[in-house]
Amino acid sequence: MKPIVVTFGDAAGIGPEIVAKTFADTEFMEQYPAFVVGDIGIMKNAAARWGSSLVVEPILAPEEYAPAARRMQVVSLSGLPADLRHGEISAAAGAAAFGAIRQSIEWANDGRVSAICTAPIHKEALAAAGVPYPGHTEMLADLSGTSDYGMMLANPHLRTLLVTVHCSILDAVRKLSVERELQVIRLAHRSLQSMGIAQPRIAVAGLNPHAGEGGLFGSEDMELIAPAVAQARQEGIDAVGPLPGDTVFMQARKGRFDIVVAQYHDQGLIPVKLLGVEDGVNVTVGLPFVRTSPDHGTAFDIAGQGIADPSSLKTALVTAHQLARSSSAATI
């Protein structure tokens, strides 16, 4: 299997800290080896502060990576100032974070890495740097030439896949269509099958209160979601809905469903994160390669304090290895 690359995230946030803490866990990294792409100066500072004698070594390409105890190998693409302030939006940090992601995608497209695991980025920093994407999901899809993709958030208790991602509530409603609903239902079905669930049980959350209550609280559930669910069932997909958004996640957590298709960002992410971010992971499904990330953001409010928890990044790295191994096995 080709190596896995970890992007260092926004240098003003907790990304470098949680990466350093993860790589300093020798026993963990022996099981889930990886290298880093980002800024070697930032990573050396992070290792010195939070890496418990972790040694940072430069490499020039994925092919130079060789796992070694207490070593973090870094492909450095930028030269951020050593005195970059934590917790502040920085165009330079946004540009550096994007550069690391873009390079990782190029490696993945060329088959030089088996998976990408991304530390958190800050959307305002990306915008300040002139990056034309609102987040990881959109840049991964565009730069890999992928049109059928989705954002899945998962933990041991719940999985959810989003119909719309980084947009306003008003725009989310405007973007809904029978075609998009059906696309995401199919994507949920294929994605869980690739994860070993032969016949996924898919719940589709309604948009409006009580899933529209027969049209009393809006017609979108009847006109856009229900026809897509009906079509999916005709195709042999075990999908039901639209189901009221205030109870469907509870039913999934209790085991009735394997995944919930959510209509917009917060509808799907709040339930997963409420159950705990430490064991949550974000998976971009539909890409031609594996990509995972923690299910939290840059945490500017605690950046630089040394109290960031690397658990979700570790979960994302474990998931990246598991999915990459599955993908490799499927191609043999």
Side-chain angles (χ1 to χ4, degrees):
M1 190 175 80
K2 298 293 177 65
I4 288 177
V5 58
V6 176
T7 65
F8 79 137
D10 190 300
I14 63 171
E17 177 184 342
I18 60 175
V19 171
K21 288 179 176 178
T22 297
F23 276 72
D25 187 337
T26 303
E27 184 177 349
F28 177 82
M29 292 307 299
E30 286 177 351
Q31 298 182 68
Y32 306 104
F35 72 96
V36 176
V37 61
D39 186 292
I40 195 165
I42 293 294
M43 292 317 304
K44 283 183 175 180
N45 289 341
R49 296 185 65 184
W50 305 299
S52 301
S53 72
L54 182 68
V55 176
V56 179
E57 297 177 339
I59 58 175
L60 297 178
E63 292 75 17
E64 294 186 13
Y65 169 66
R70 303 211 63 78
R71 296 289 189 274
M72 178 198 295
Q73 296 174 356
V74 180
V75 176
S76 189
L77 303 178
S78 58
L80 291 171
D83 60 350
L84 183 76
R85 293 176 64 87
H86 287 105
E88 294 184 3
I89 295 169
S90 162
F98 176 62
I101 299 162
R102 180 172 54 194
Q103 179 62 78
S104 298
I105 295 170
E106 290 179 8
W107 287 331
N109 284 337
D110 293 340
R112 297 170 67 186
V113 297
S114 62
I116 301 171
C117 182
T118 59
I121 55 176
H122 199 286
K123 294 170 178 58
E124 289 185 63
L126 292 178
V131 176
Y133 302 103
H136 275 116
T137 304
E138 294 83 1
M139 66 179 72
L140 285 155
D142 185 51
L143 295 176
S144 67
T146 304
S147 58
D148 189 3
Y149 65 94
M151 177 178 173
M152 179 189 294
L153 217 67
N155 61 31
H157 316 286
L158 182 65
R159 300 182 190 91
T160 184
L161 186 63
L162 305 183
V163 177
T164 62
V165 187
H166 296 120
C167 61
S168 70
I169 294 291
L170 186 59
D171 283 343
V173 175
R174 291 170 176 163
K175 290 181 177 183
L176 298 182
S177 66
V178 175
E179 293 76 17
R180 176 58 181 167
E181 297 286 342
L182 185 58
Q183 181 186 41
V184 177
I185 294 170
R186 289 168 175 161
L187 189 58
H189 181 75
R190 293 197 309 270
S191 298
L192 292 197
Q193 284 187 323
S194 72
M195 296 177 185
I197 301 175
Q199 187 61 24
R201 299 165 300 165
I202 302 168
V204 182
L207 173 70
N208 297 300
H210 303 186
E213 198 71 75
L216 292 176
F217 305 144
S219 62
E220 292 87 359
D221 296 275
M222 290 191 307
E223 296 176 356
L224 304 177
I225 301 175
V229 172
Q231 177 61 40
R233 294 187 64 82
Q234 288 181 7
E235 296 175 6
I237 297 174
D238 184 3
V240 296
L243 300 178
D246 59 352
T247 56
V248 66
F249 297 98
M250 174 268 294
Q251 294 180 58
R253 181 178 61 82
K254 289 186 174 181
R256 181 181 175 189
F257 305 111
D258 297 304
I259 192 169
V260 178
V261 171
Q263 299 304 315
Y264 55 92
H265 185 279
D266 284 11
Q267 184 188 51
L269 270 57
I270 288 174
V272 178
K273 294 187 178 185
L274 183 63
L275 293 172
V277 300
E278 61 277 355
D279 56 1
V281 60
N282 181 335
V283 182
T284 306
V285 297
L287 298 173
F289 50 80
V290 173
R291 178 266 173 166
T292 67
S293 78
D295 72 348
H296 59 73
T298 51
F300 272 12
D301 57 325
I302 63 169
Q305 299 178 33
I307 60 175
D309 184 351
S311 297
S312 187
L313 179 64
K314 287 182 175 181
T315 302
L317 191 52
V318 170
T319 304
H321 272 270
Q322 292 171 340
L323 295 178
R325 291 190 190 106
S326 299
S327 298
S328 297
T331 60
I332 295 175

